[in-house]
């Protein structure tokens, strides 16, 4: 996939809807980009509805976006397409594995 291709994440979203306790904030997270109503601050993570992060918009496996993309937590920034973890969560939603992406490729 060339760098000009759209990120596979924009038609996926699986990692954002896989677990009610993910993503967890990290110590170095700047939470200014996380609206208070989206923060499960008592547990140090994003609020979820079921297993789905409240910031995820759209339909998994079709078209999605992160409503707080610019201010998303570090753990989200590090979750890259084509990794083993990506393959695992995509498989949970019956989405095929991706070829590994260069590190800079992520949501767009
Ligand atoms: S990192 Fe992988 S699982 Fe997460 S949205 Fe992108 S393609 Fe989907
Ligand atoms: S904050 Fe955005 S990127 Fe992170 S899990 Fe929620 S929707 Fe996905």
């Amino acid at each position: 996939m060339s760098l000009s291709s759209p990120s596979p994440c924009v038609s996926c979203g699986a990692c954002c809807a896989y677990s009610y306790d993910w993503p967890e904030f990290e110590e170095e997270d700047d939470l200014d980009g996380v609206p208070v109503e989206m923060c499960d601050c008592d547990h140090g993570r994003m609020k979820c509805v079921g297993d789905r992060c409240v910031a995820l918009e759209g339909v998994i496996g079709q078209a999605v976006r992160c409503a707080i993309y610019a201010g998303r937590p570090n753990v989200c920034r590090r979750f890259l397409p084509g990794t083993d973890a990506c393959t695992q969560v995509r498989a949970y939603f019956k989405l095929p594995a991706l070829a590994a992406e260069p590190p800079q490729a992520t949501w767009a």
Side-chain angles (χ1 to χ4, degrees):
M1 177 179 294
S2 78
L3 291 178
S4 59
S5 300
S7 166
C9 301
V10 300
S11 58
C12 179
C15 55
C16 309
Y18 183 70
S19 171
Y20 74 94
D21 62 1
W22 193 91
E24 273 189 10
F25 303 138
E26 300 172 353
E27 264 183 40
E28 61 271 25
D29 260 322
D30 173 1
L31 299 182
D32 286 353
V34 179
V36 66
E37 67 273 16
M38 290 187 176
C39 183
D40 181 359
C41 298
D42 289 346
H43 296 103
R45 61 196 185 213
M46 291 294 294
K47 194 175 284 183
C48 287
V49 175
D51 289 334
R52 180 175 168 132
C53 174
V54 294
L56 181 66
E57 298 178 345
V59 178
I60 294 165
Q62 295 184 24
V64 293
R65 68 181 289 272
C66 172
I68 59 163
Y69 181 72
R72 68 199 187 287
N74 286 328
V75 67
C76 305
R77 298 171 191 271
R78 288 204 321 271
F79 200 109
L80 296 174
T83 59
D84 288 348
C86 169
T87 297
Q88 178 184 337
V89 297
R90 282 179 60 90
Y92 179 78
F93 287 99
K94 304 194 181 330
L95 298 169
L98 301 171
E101 288 289 301
Q104 68 270 33
T106 182
W107 293 74

